[in-house]
Amino acid sequence: MKKYYVLDTNVLLHSPNALYAFNEHTIVIPEVVIEELDKFKKESTERGTNSRSVSRIIDSLRTQGNLLKGVPINNSGGILILESNHTATAMPLHWEGDKADNRILQVCKGLAESGHQTILVSRDTNMRVKSSILNIQAEDFRNDKVSNIDQQYTGRIIAYTSSEVINRFHESTNHYIDPDTLYVFDDLAGILIPAVLVTNQFLLIRSTDNDRHTALGRFDGKKVVHLQYQNRNPFGVTPRNVGQIFMQECLMMSAEEAPLVILKGISGTAKTFYALAVGLYNYMECRPREYHHILICRPNSMLDEGIGFLPGTEAEKIEPYMRAIKDNLFTLMSGNTPMEDKDVLQTEDTVNMLFEKRVIQTEALAYQRGRSLQKYWVIFDEMQNATPRQAKAVLTRPGLGTKIILIGDPAQIDNPLLDSQSNGLSYASEKMIGSKLCFQVTMLPEECERSPLAAEAAMRL
Protein backbone atom coordinates (compact mmCIF):
# COMPACT_ATOMS: atom_id res chain seq x y z
CA MET A 1 0.00 0.00 0.00
CA LYS A 2 1.29 3.41 -0.95
CA LYS A 3 1.91 5.79 1.91
CA TYR A 4 1.66 9.57 2.14
CA TYR A 5 4.85 11.09 3.59
CA VAL A 6 4.41 14.70 4.73
CA LEU A 7 7.79 16.45 4.89
CA ASP A 8 8.59 19.04 7.53
CA THR A 9 10.66 22.07 6.51
CA ASN A 10 13.67 20.97 8.56
CA VAL A 11 13.96 17.75 6.53
CA LEU A 12 14.35 19.67 3.27
CA LEU A 13 16.72 22.20 4.82
CA HIS A 14 18.85 19.30 6.02
CA SER A 15 18.78 17.31 2.77
CA PRO A 16 17.22 18.65 -0.46
CA ASN A 17 17.49 15.17 -1.98
CA ALA A 18 15.04 13.91 0.65
CA LEU A 19 12.42 14.42 -2.07
CA TYR A 20 13.83 11.38 -3.85
CA ALA A 21 14.17 9.11 -0.81
CA PHE A 22 10.66 7.60 -0.62
CA ASN A 23 10.57 5.33 -3.69
CA GLU A 24 7.00 4.53 -4.84
CA HIS A 25 5.23 6.50 -2.14
CA THR A 26 3.55 9.91 -2.31
CA ILE A 27 5.43 12.91 -0.94
CA VAL A 28 3.32 15.77 0.39
CA ILE A 29 4.67 19.27 0.93
CA PRO A 30 2.23 21.65 2.68
CA GLU A 31 2.20 25.11 1.12
CA VAL A 32 3.41 26.59 4.43
CA VAL A 33 6.68 24.66 3.97
CA ILE A 34 7.30 26.60 0.75
CA GLU A 35 6.77 29.83 2.70
CA GLU A 36 9.23 28.72 5.38
CA LEU A 37 11.83 27.73 2.77
CA ASP A 38 11.51 31.20 1.26
CA LYS A 39 12.68 32.77 4.54
CA PHE A 40 16.08 31.11 4.24
CA LYS A 41 16.82 31.48 0.52
CA LYS A 42 19.02 34.58 0.94
CA GLU A 43 21.25 33.08 3.62
CA SER A 44 24.86 32.33 2.65
CA THR A 45 24.86 29.29 4.95
CA GLU A 46 24.35 25.63 4.08
CA ARG A 47 20.74 26.10 5.14
CA GLY A 48 20.34 28.84 2.54
CA THR A 49 22.00 26.69 -0.12
CA ASN A 50 19.65 23.81 0.66
CA SER A 51 16.62 26.10 0.59
CA ARG A 52 17.51 27.29 -2.90
CA SER A 53 18.18 23.74 -4.06
CA VAL A 54 14.76 22.54 -2.92
CA SER A 55 13.08 25.50 -4.60
CA ARG A 56 14.84 24.75 -7.89
CA ILE A 57 13.86 21.08 -7.73
CA ILE A 58 10.21 21.90 -7.08
CA ASP A 59 10.23 24.58 -9.79
CA SER A 60 11.55 22.08 -12.34
CA LEU A 61 8.81 19.62 -11.36
CA ARG A 62 6.22 22.38 -11.75
CA THR A 63 6.86 22.43 -15.48
CA GLN A 64 5.96 18.74 -15.73
CA GLY A 65 2.40 18.97 -14.44
CA ASN A 66 0.05 20.30 -11.79
CA LEU A 67 1.71 20.15 -8.38
CA LEU A 68 -1.65 20.36 -6.63
CA LYS A 69 -2.76 17.13 -8.34
CA GLY A 70 0.60 15.41 -8.21
CA VAL A 71 3.70 15.15 -10.38
CA PRO A 72 5.86 12.02 -10.91
CA ILE A 73 9.17 12.43 -9.10
CA ASN A 74 11.01 9.19 -9.92
CA ASN A 75 10.81 6.01 -12.00
CA SER A 76 9.42 3.99 -9.08
CA GLY A 77 5.97 5.56 -9.18
CA GLY A 78 6.61 8.22 -6.57
CA ILE A 79 4.44 11.34 -6.64
CA LEU A 80 5.04 14.85 -5.28
CA ILE A 81 1.97 16.83 -4.18
CA LEU A 82 1.90 20.44 -3.04
CA GLU A 83 -0.94 20.45 -0.51
CA SER A 84 -3.08 23.51 0.17
CA ASN A 85 -6.29 21.79 1.32
CA HIS A 86 -7.58 20.59 4.69
CA THR A 87 -7.80 24.11 6.09
CA ALA A 88 -11.10 23.21 7.79
CA THR A 89 -9.74 20.12 9.53
CA ALA A 90 -10.47 20.39 13.26
CA MET A 91 -7.46 20.97 15.51
CA PRO A 92 -7.15 21.41 19.30
CA LEU A 93 -8.66 24.82 20.10
CA HIS A 94 -5.68 26.01 22.17
CA TRP A 95 -3.22 25.43 19.30
CA GLU A 96 -2.22 28.57 17.42
CA GLY A 97 -3.76 28.40 13.97
CA ASP A 98 -1.17 30.64 12.27
CA LYS A 99 1.82 28.61 13.44
CA ALA A 100 3.60 26.76 10.63
CA ASP A 101 4.09 23.54 12.61
CA ASN A 102 0.40 23.37 13.43
CA ARG A 103 -0.55 23.91 9.80
CA ILE A 104 1.70 21.00 8.77
CA LEU A 105 0.07 18.82 11.44
CA GLN A 106 -3.36 19.93 10.19
CA VAL A 107 -2.49 18.70 6.70
CA CYS A 108 -1.37 15.37 8.17
CA LYS A 109 -4.61 15.02 10.12
CA GLY A 110 -6.71 15.93 7.08
CA LEU A 111 -4.95 13.37 4.89
CA ALA A 112 -5.37 10.69 7.56
CA GLU A 113 -9.07 11.46 7.92
CA SER A 114 -9.39 11.15 4.12
CA GLY A 115 -8.30 7.52 4.38
CA HIS A 116 -4.62 7.85 3.45
CA GLN A 117 -1.90 6.12 5.45
CA THR A 118 -0.09 9.29 6.50
CA ILE A 119 3.35 9.62 8.05
CA LEU A 120 4.92 12.88 9.17
CA VAL A 121 8.68 13.06 8.56
CA SER A 122 10.34 15.61 10.83
CA ARG A 123 13.73 16.09 12.45
CA ASP A 124 12.05 18.10 15.21
CA THR A 125 11.50 15.93 18.29
CA ASN A 126 8.73 18.14 19.66
CA MET A 127 6.95 18.08 16.31
CA ARG A 128 6.89 14.29 16.41
CA VAL A 129 5.60 14.41 19.99
CA LYS A 130 2.76 16.76 19.00
CA SER A 131 1.82 14.45 16.13
CA SER A 132 1.18 11.65 18.63
CA ILE A 133 -1.46 13.85 20.28
CA LEU A 134 -3.34 13.78 16.97
CA ASN A 135 -2.71 10.02 16.53
CA ILE A 136 -0.53 10.71 13.50
CA GLN A 137 2.38 8.42 12.80
CA ALA A 138 5.70 10.30 12.76
CA GLU A 139 9.34 9.42 12.22
CA ASP A 140 12.73 11.03 11.88
CA PHE A 141 14.41 11.33 8.48
CA ARG A 142 16.63 8.27 8.54
CA ASN A 143 18.03 8.21 5.02
CA ASP A 144 21.45 9.55 6.08
CA LYS A 145 21.50 8.03 9.56
CA VAL A 146 24.10 5.45 10.43
CA SER A 147 24.35 2.81 13.15
CA ASN A 148 23.76 3.52 16.81
CA ILE A 149 26.85 5.02 18.46
CA ASP A 150 27.57 1.80 20.36
CA GLN A 151 27.59 -0.16 17.10
CA GLN A 152 29.64 2.24 14.99
CA TYR A 153 32.96 1.20 13.53
CA THR A 154 35.92 1.86 15.85
CA GLY A 155 38.84 1.03 13.55
CA ARG A 156 40.30 -1.31 16.16
CA ILE A 157 39.69 -4.79 17.53
CA ILE A 158 41.00 -7.18 20.18
CA ALA A 159 41.95 -10.51 18.63
CA TYR A 160 43.32 -13.74 20.06
CA THR A 161 45.86 -16.25 18.76
CA SER A 162 48.49 -18.65 20.10
CA SER A 163 51.72 -17.54 21.79
CA GLU A 164 53.63 -19.27 19.02
CA VAL A 165 52.07 -16.99 16.39
CA ILE A 166 52.82 -13.88 18.47
CA ASN A 167 56.42 -14.95 19.11
CA ARG A 168 57.03 -15.52 15.40
CA PHE A 169 55.46 -12.12 14.64
CA HIS A 170 57.87 -10.43 17.08
CA GLU A 171 60.95 -12.10 15.58
CA SER A 172 61.15 -9.78 12.58
CA THR A 173 59.36 -6.81 11.07
CA ASN A 174 59.11 -8.87 7.90
CA HIS A 175 56.92 -11.45 9.60
CA TYR A 176 53.15 -11.11 9.44
CA ILE A 177 50.11 -12.83 10.93
CA ASP A 178 47.66 -14.78 8.79
CA PRO A 179 44.16 -13.50 9.66
CA ASP A 180 42.91 -17.10 9.55
CA THR A 181 44.81 -17.71 12.80
CA LEU A 182 42.98 -14.93 14.65
CA TYR A 183 39.84 -15.17 16.77
CA VAL A 184 37.57 -12.71 18.56
CA PHE A 185 35.44 -13.20 21.65
CA ASP A 186 31.71 -13.50 21.06
CA ASP A 187 30.06 -11.89 24.10
CA LEU A 188 26.69 -13.53 23.47
CA ALA A 189 27.97 -17.07 22.95
CA GLY A 190 30.87 -16.69 25.37
CA ILE A 191 33.29 -18.40 22.98
CA LEU A 192 36.07 -17.49 20.53
CA ILE A 193 35.00 -17.30 16.90
CA PRO A 194 37.06 -16.65 13.71
CA ALA A 195 37.90 -12.96 13.30
CA VAL A 196 36.47 -11.00 10.38
CA LEU A 197 38.79 -8.05 9.75
CA VAL A 198 38.35 -4.79 7.85
CA THR A 199 41.05 -3.22 5.70
CA ASN A 200 43.23 -0.81 7.74
CA GLN A 201 41.79 -2.07 11.01
CA PHE A 202 44.20 -1.93 13.97
CA LEU A 203 44.59 -4.95 16.23
CA LEU A 204 45.56 -5.57 19.82
CA ILE A 205 46.46 -9.25 19.65
CA ARG A 206 46.42 -11.29 22.85
CA SER A 207 47.71 -14.79 23.45
CA THR A 208 45.13 -17.43 24.30
CA ASP A 209 47.73 -18.89 26.70
CA ASN A 210 48.78 -15.68 28.45
CA ASP A 211 46.58 -12.58 28.41
CA ARG A 212 49.62 -10.34 29.05
CA HIS A 213 51.45 -11.67 25.98
CA THR A 214 50.43 -9.22 23.27
CA ALA A 215 51.27 -7.65 19.94
CA LEU A 216 50.01 -4.66 17.97
CA GLY A 217 49.36 -4.75 14.25
CA ARG A 218 47.33 -3.53 11.31
CA PHE A 219 45.34 -5.50 8.74
CA ASP A 220 46.40 -4.33 5.28
CA GLY A 221 43.61 -6.18 3.52
CA LYS A 222 45.49 -9.48 3.22
CA LYS A 223 47.57 -9.94 6.36
CA VAL A 224 48.33 -8.38 9.74
CA VAL A 225 51.53 -6.33 9.50
CA HIS A 226 53.73 -4.50 12.00
CA LEU A 227 53.16 -0.89 12.96
CA GLN A 228 55.81 1.33 11.35
CA TYR A 229 55.81 4.33 13.69
CA GLN A 230 55.14 2.84 17.10
CA ASN A 231 58.47 3.99 18.56
CA ARG A 232 58.52 7.48 17.07
CA ASN A 233 58.09 10.71 19.04
CA PRO A 234 56.67 13.36 16.69
CA PHE A 235 57.37 16.86 18.02
CA GLY A 236 58.53 15.29 21.26
CA VAL A 237 55.23 13.53 21.96
CA THR A 238 55.24 9.97 23.28
CA PRO A 239 52.08 7.81 23.06
CA ARG A 240 50.74 6.86 26.48
CA ASN A 241 48.29 4.10 25.56
CA VAL A 242 47.33 1.71 22.80
CA GLY A 243 44.82 4.13 21.26
CA GLN A 244 47.46 6.84 20.94
CA ILE A 245 49.86 4.36 19.35
CA PHE A 246 47.19 3.60 16.74
CA MET A 247 46.54 7.34 16.25
CA GLN A 248 50.24 8.04 15.82
CA GLU A 249 50.53 5.26 13.24
CA CYS A 250 47.86 6.55 10.88
CA LEU A 251 48.84 10.19 11.35
CA MET A 252 52.52 9.51 10.60
CA MET A 253 51.76 7.64 7.40
CA SER A 254 52.19 9.65 4.20
CA ALA A 255 49.32 11.30 2.34
CA GLU A 256 49.73 8.71 -0.40
CA GLU A 257 49.28 5.83 2.06
CA ALA A 258 46.68 7.42 4.34
CA PRO A 259 45.08 10.55 2.84
CA LEU A 260 42.13 10.35 5.25
CA VAL A 261 42.26 9.79 9.01
CA ILE A 262 39.13 9.78 11.18
CA LEU A 263 39.66 10.12 14.94
CA LYS A 264 36.63 9.67 17.18
CA GLY A 265 36.14 9.35 20.91
CA ILE A 266 35.71 11.24 24.13
CA SER A 267 37.47 14.50 24.91
CA GLY A 268 40.82 14.37 26.67
CA THR A 269 42.18 11.47 24.60
CA ALA A 270 44.58 13.80 22.70
CA LYS A 271 42.96 13.53 19.26
CA THR A 272 43.46 17.19 18.33
CA PHE A 273 46.72 17.35 20.28
CA TYR A 274 48.21 14.47 18.30
CA ALA A 275 46.98 15.81 14.96
CA LEU A 276 48.70 19.13 15.70
CA ALA A 277 51.89 17.46 16.94
CA VAL A 278 52.32 15.32 13.84
CA GLY A 279 51.35 18.24 11.59
CA LEU A 280 54.00 20.50 13.13
CA TYR A 281 56.54 17.67 13.03
CA ASN A 282 55.99 17.23 9.30
CA TYR A 283 56.09 20.97 8.64
CA MET A 284 58.99 22.02 10.87
CA GLU A 285 61.24 18.99 11.24
CA CYS A 286 60.92 17.00 8.01
CA ARG A 287 62.88 17.95 4.91
CA PRO A 288 61.84 18.13 2.20
CA ARG A 289 58.45 19.21 3.48
CA GLU A 290 55.66 16.84 2.59
CA TYR A 291 53.04 19.50 3.38
CA HIS A 292 53.24 23.20 2.51
CA HIS A 293 50.37 24.36 4.72
CA ILE A 294 48.66 23.47 8.01
CA LEU A 295 44.96 24.36 7.92
CA ILE A 296 42.46 24.04 10.77
CA CYS A 297 38.69 24.35 10.36
CA ARG A 298 35.84 23.95 12.83
CA PRO A 299 32.04 24.19 12.53
CA ASN A 300 30.71 27.23 14.36
CA SER A 301 28.37 25.41 16.76
CA MET A 302 28.78 26.44 20.39
CA LEU A 303 28.28 24.74 23.74
CA ASP A 304 26.08 27.56 25.05
CA GLU A 305 24.28 30.58 23.62
CA GLY A 306 26.08 32.71 21.08
CA ILE A 307 27.68 36.04 21.90
CA GLY A 308 26.11 37.88 19.00
CA PHE A 309 27.67 39.55 15.98
CA LEU A 310 31.46 39.56 15.91
CA PRO A 311 33.18 42.38 13.99
CA GLY A 312 36.46 42.07 12.17
CA THR A 313 38.10 39.93 9.53
CA GLU A 314 37.36 36.25 8.93
CA ALA A 315 40.29 35.26 11.15
CA GLU A 316 39.07 37.58 13.93
CA LYS A 317 35.52 36.22 13.70
CA ILE A 318 36.56 32.58 14.03
CA GLU A 319 39.29 33.22 16.65
CA PRO A 320 36.96 32.32 19.58
CA TYR A 321 36.37 28.90 18.01
CA MET A 322 40.13 28.29 17.84
CA ARG A 323 40.93 28.73 21.51
CA ALA A 324 40.97 24.97 22.04
CA ILE A 325 43.58 24.75 19.28
CA LYS A 326 45.75 27.34 21.03
CA ASP A 327 45.41 25.43 24.31
CA ASN A 328 46.80 22.32 22.63
CA LEU A 329 49.60 24.27 20.96
CA PHE A 330 50.59 25.84 24.28
CA THR A 331 50.86 22.36 25.81
CA LEU A 332 52.92 21.17 22.84
CA MET A 333 55.29 24.11 23.05
CA SER A 334 55.66 24.07 26.84
CA GLY A 335 55.98 20.33 27.29
CA ASN A 336 53.33 20.54 30.04
CA THR A 337 56.02 21.23 32.68
CA PRO A 338 56.12 23.85 35.47
CA MET A 339 57.11 27.26 34.07
CA GLU A 340 58.08 30.70 35.27
CA ASP A 341 55.90 33.67 34.28
CA LYS A 342 58.38 34.80 31.64
CA ASP A 343 58.40 31.31 30.11
CA VAL A 344 54.62 31.28 29.98
CA LEU A 345 54.59 34.62 28.14
CA GLN A 346 57.31 33.45 25.76
CA THR A 347 55.38 30.27 24.95
CA GLU A 348 52.18 32.26 24.37
CA ASP A 349 54.11 34.53 22.00
CA THR A 350 55.40 31.49 20.12
CA VAL A 351 51.87 30.12 19.73
CA ASN A 352 50.58 33.47 18.47
CA MET A 353 53.51 33.71 16.06
CA LEU A 354 52.47 30.40 14.44
CA PHE A 355 49.20 32.07 13.45
CA GLU A 356 50.69 35.47 12.59
CA LYS A 357 53.30 33.90 10.28
CA ARG A 358 50.54 31.66 8.83
CA VAL A 359 52.42 28.52 9.74
CA ILE A 360 48.99 27.49 10.99
CA GLN A 361 46.03 28.85 9.06
CA THR A 362 42.46 28.90 10.36
CA GLU A 363 39.35 29.18 8.24
CA ALA A 364 35.62 28.76 8.60
CA LEU A 365 34.27 25.39 7.50
CA ALA A 366 31.68 27.13 5.34
CA TYR A 367 34.37 28.62 3.06
CA GLN A 368 35.88 25.29 1.96
CA ARG A 369 33.42 24.59 -0.84
CA GLY A 370 35.01 24.86 -4.26
CA ARG A 371 38.59 24.70 -3.01
CA SER A 372 41.25 22.28 -4.25
CA LEU A 373 43.85 21.76 -1.54
CA GLN A 374 47.32 20.68 -2.68
CA LYS A 375 49.89 19.48 -0.13
CA TYR A 376 47.84 20.61 2.88
CA TRP A 377 47.76 19.09 6.35
CA VAL A 378 44.09 19.76 7.13
CA ILE A 379 42.45 19.26 10.52
CA PHE A 380 38.65 19.41 10.60
CA ASP A 381 38.00 19.57 14.34
CA GLU A 382 34.68 19.07 16.19
CA MET A 383 33.17 17.45 13.09
CA GLN A 384 30.36 15.92 15.13
CA ASN A 385 28.75 19.36 14.72
CA ALA A 386 28.91 19.18 10.92
CA THR A 387 26.18 17.75 8.71
CA PRO A 388 26.70 14.77 6.40
CA ARG A 389 26.58 17.15 3.45
CA GLN A 390 29.35 19.28 4.97
CA ALA A 391 31.43 16.17 5.61
CA LYS A 392 31.02 15.12 1.99
CA ALA A 393 31.98 18.60 0.84
CA VAL A 394 35.24 18.70 2.80
CA LEU A 395 36.23 15.15 1.82
CA THR A 396 36.05 16.11 -1.83
CA ARG A 397 38.41 19.10 -1.39
CA PRO A 398 41.84 17.39 -1.18
CA GLY A 399 44.18 17.39 -4.13
CA LEU A 400 47.41 15.43 -4.47
CA GLY A 401 49.60 15.33 -1.39
CA THR A 402 46.91 16.52 1.03
CA LYS A 403 46.07 14.70 4.24
CA ILE A 404 42.63 15.17 5.83
CA ILE A 405 42.03 14.51 9.54
CA LEU A 406 38.43 14.47 10.81
CA ILE A 407 38.17 14.74 14.60
CA GLY A 408 35.30 14.73 17.03
CA ASP A 409 33.16 13.06 19.67
CA PRO A 410 29.76 11.83 18.39
CA ALA A 411 28.49 11.82 21.96
CA GLN A 412 28.99 15.59 22.41
CA ILE A 413 26.92 17.44 19.82
CA ASP A 414 25.96 21.10 20.08
CA ASN A 415 24.05 21.34 16.79
CA PRO A 416 20.35 20.96 17.72
CA LEU A 417 19.47 19.26 14.42
CA LEU A 418 22.11 16.52 14.67
CA ASP A 419 22.55 13.44 16.83
CA SER A 420 25.08 10.64 17.23
CA GLN A 421 23.71 8.89 14.13
CA SER A 422 23.16 11.79 11.74
CA ASN A 423 26.25 13.99 12.22
CA GLY A 424 28.93 14.38 9.57
CA LEU A 425 31.67 12.64 11.57
CA SER A 426 29.70 9.43 12.13
CA TYR A 427 28.36 9.55 8.57
CA ALA A 428 31.84 9.80 7.05
CA SER A 429 33.18 7.13 9.40
CA GLU A 430 30.53 4.56 8.50
CA LYS A 431 30.57 5.29 4.77
CA MET A 432 34.38 4.99 4.55
CA ILE A 433 34.65 1.60 6.30
CA GLY A 434 36.97 -0.67 4.37
CA SER A 435 38.45 2.03 2.15
CA LYS A 436 42.17 1.53 1.54
CA LEU A 437 42.59 5.30 1.72
CA CYS A 438 40.93 5.74 5.12
CA PHE A 439 42.28 4.95 8.59
CA GLN A 440 40.11 5.20 11.68
CA VAL A 441 40.66 5.09 15.43
CA THR A 442 38.04 5.46 18.14
CA MET A 443 39.56 6.33 21.51
CA LEU A 444 38.22 4.61 24.62
CA PRO A 445 37.14 6.31 27.88
CA GLU A 446 39.99 4.67 29.78
CA GLU A 447 42.45 6.30 27.35
CA CYS A 448 41.65 9.83 28.53
CA GLU A 449 44.95 11.49 29.46
CA ARG A 450 43.89 15.09 30.08
CA SER A 451 43.82 14.83 33.88
CA PRO A 452 42.69 12.38 36.58
CA LEU A 453 39.43 14.35 36.91
CA ALA A 454 38.77 14.32 33.17
CA ALA A 455 39.49 10.58 33.04
CA GLU A 456 37.15 9.93 35.98
CA ALA A 457 34.40 12.02 34.38
CA ALA A 458 34.84 10.22 31.06
CA MET A 459 34.30 6.88 32.78
CA ARG A 460 31.37 7.95 34.97
CA LEU A 461 29.33 10.49 32.99
Side-chain angles (χ1 to χ4, degrees):
M1 179 180 178
K2 288 190 175 182
K3 303 174 183 177
Y4 276 58
Y5 286 95
V6 181
L7 303 191
D8 195 356
T9 312
N10 51 51
V11 172
L12 297 173
L13 289 175
H14 173 73
S15 175
N17 290 326
L19 291 169
Y20 302 108
F22 297 91
N23 299 321
E24 75 277 11
H25 302 291
T26 297
I27 301 165
V28 178
I29 299 181
E31 87 288 345
V32 69
V33 170
I34 302 297
E35 295 175 4
E36 287 202 297
L37 288 172
D38 192 63
K39 297 177 183 177
F40 302 107
K41 67 181 182 182
K42 294 183 179 180
E43 290 188 4
S44 58
T45 61
E46 182 188 17
R47 185 171 60 179
T49 300
N50 291 348
S51 173
R52 294 188 291 273
S53 296
V54 173
S55 298
R56 284 193 290 268
I57 292 172
I58 296 176
D59 186 51
S60 66
L61 294 171
R62 176 186 59 82
T63 63
Q64 301 177 25
N66 189 335
L67 288 171
L68 296 176
K69 295 181 179 180
V71 175
I73 196 171
N74 55 41
N75 296 325
S76 302
I79 300 293
L80 173 67
I81 295 177
L82 184 61
E83 185 60 73
S84 61
N85 297 316
H86 308 293
T87 55
T89 299
M91 296 286 283
L93 295 177
H94 59 282
W95 286 18
E96 298 178 27
D98 58 350
K99 190 173 182 179
D101 285 357
N102 293 339
R103 171 56 184 153
I104 294 172
L105 289 168
Q106 187 181 39
V107 168
C108 293
K109 188 169 184 284
L111 289 170
E113 291 176 351
S114 300
H116 301 294
Q117 184 178 355
T118 305
I119 302 171
L120 169 67
V121 183
S122 176
R123 306 190 75 244
D124 185 343
T125 305
N126 290 332
M127 185 74 159
R128 299 198 297 269
V129 171
K130 288 179 69 175
S131 72
S132 65
I133 299 174
L134 302 176
N135 293 318
I136 297 169
Q137 184 179 349
E139 59 186 43
D140 196 356
F141 181 64
R142 301 190 299 266
N143 196 55
D144 58 2
K145 283 206 168 189
V146 296
S147 305
N148 184 279
I149 189 170
D150 295 328
Q151 300 171 331
Q152 290 177 18
Y153 180 63
T154 64
R156 56 196 287 184
I157 192 173
I158 298 176
Y160 295 86
T161 191
S162 67
S163 290
E164 181 183 355
V165 171
I166 294 177
N167 286 334
R168 189 165 59 248
F169 184 64
H170 280 310
E171 285 177 2
S172 170
T173 56
N174 294 323
H175 289 177
Y176 61 87
I177 295 179
D178 186 336
D180 291 338
T181 65
L182 297 174
Y183 298 85
V184 295
F185 189 76
D186 187 324
D187 292 326
L188 294 178
I191 59 174
L192 291 175
I193 59 175
V196 178
L197 304 181
V198 178
T199 299
N200 292 337
Q201 192 170 34
F202 292 104
L203 293 93
L204 169 57
I205 306 165
R206 296 187 185 278
S207 169
T208 52
D209 312 316
N210 180 359
D211 196 52
R212 299 183 67 179
H213 189 193
T214 62
L216 300 179
R218 175 179 63 85
F219 182 58
D220 67 0
K222 296 181 179 179
K223 57 189 180 298
V224 177
V225 298
H226 285 268
L227 302 183
Q228 303 175 57
Y229 303 100
Q230 180 175 349
N231 299 317
R232 302 286 286 274
N233 304 109
F235 216 72
V237 176
T238 302
R240 296 183 177 182
N241 53 56
V242 171
Q244 290 185 2
I245 292 173
F246 292 156
M247 273 201 303
Q248 178 169 299
E249 180 73 13
C250 53
L251 288 170
M252 291 288 288
M253 296 176 75
S254 70
E256 284 69 32
E257 296 176 283
L260 173 61
V261 174
I262 300 177
L263 305 177
K264 297 191 297 182
I266 66 165
S267 57
T269 49
K271 302 181 299 296
T272 305
F273 179 82
Y274 242 103
L276 286 168
V278 179
L280 287 171
Y281 166 78
N282 281 304
Y283 185 87
M284 293 183 170
E285 299 181 18
C286 294
R287 293 295 183 272
R289 283 179 183 161
E290 185 175 356
Y291 308 99
H292 296 165
H293 310 276
I294 299 176
L295 175 63
I296 303 172
C297 302
R298 301 181 82 190
N300 61 353
S301 295
M302 290 172 286
L303 179 65
D304 205 342
E305 294 183 11
I307 56 175
F309 172 77
L310 294 175
T313 63
E314 176 194 347
E316 291 170 337
K317 289 176 185 292
I318 65 175
E319 195 277 336
Y321 302 104
M322 297 298 166
R323 287 172 184 165
I325 302 298
K326 290 189 174 183
D327 291 341
N328 279 293
L329 288 170
F330 182 88
T331 303
L332 269 175
M333 297 297 176
S334 65
N336 204 22
T337 56
M339 302 171 67
E340 299 291 337
D341 288 347
K342 63 177 182 178
D343 297 323
V344 171
L345 293 174
Q346 184 176 353
T347 304
E348 289 177 345
D349 289 341
T350 302
V351 170
N352 290 329
M353 183 194 69
L354 292 174
F355 291 91
E356 292 169 1
K357 300 293 186 181
R358 294 184 62 79
V359 172
I360 296 178
Q361 303 172 30
T362 58
E363 295 180 6
L365 185 67
Y367 297 152
Q368 299 311 303
R369 186 177 300 279
R371 298 194 65 185
S372 180
L373 304 173
Q374 306 284 343
K375 292 189 175 296
Y376 270 78
W377 178 274
V378 189
I379 299 172
F380 290 106
D381 201 15
E382 301 292 341
M383 281 298 289
Q384 77 274 8
N385 287 316
T387 65
R389 181 169 177 171
Q390 287 172 324
K392 180 178 180 179
V394 300
L395 289 183
T396 55
R397 295 306 98 217
L400 294 175
T402 287
K403 192 175 182 96
I404 299 289
I405 302 105
L406 302 187
I407 301 174
D409 179 3
Q412 292 192 356
I413 296 176
D414 303 317
N415 188 322
L417 294 180
L418 299 177
D419 58 32
S420 62
Q421 295 176 263
S422 63
N423 66 87
L425 181 69
S426 297
Y427 181 80
S429 173
E430 293 296 295
K431 295 299 181 181
M432 295 301 291
I433 293 175
S435 169
K436 293 182 179 180
L437 303 177
C438 177
F439 290 72
Q440 303 195 41
V441 180
T442 296
M443 301 299 291
L444 306 178
E446 58 267 27
E447 292 172 335
C448 178
E449 298 286 352
R450 178 168 290 163
S451 68
L453 174 59
E456 184 78 4
M459 297 290 290
R460 288 176 174 267
L461 302 182

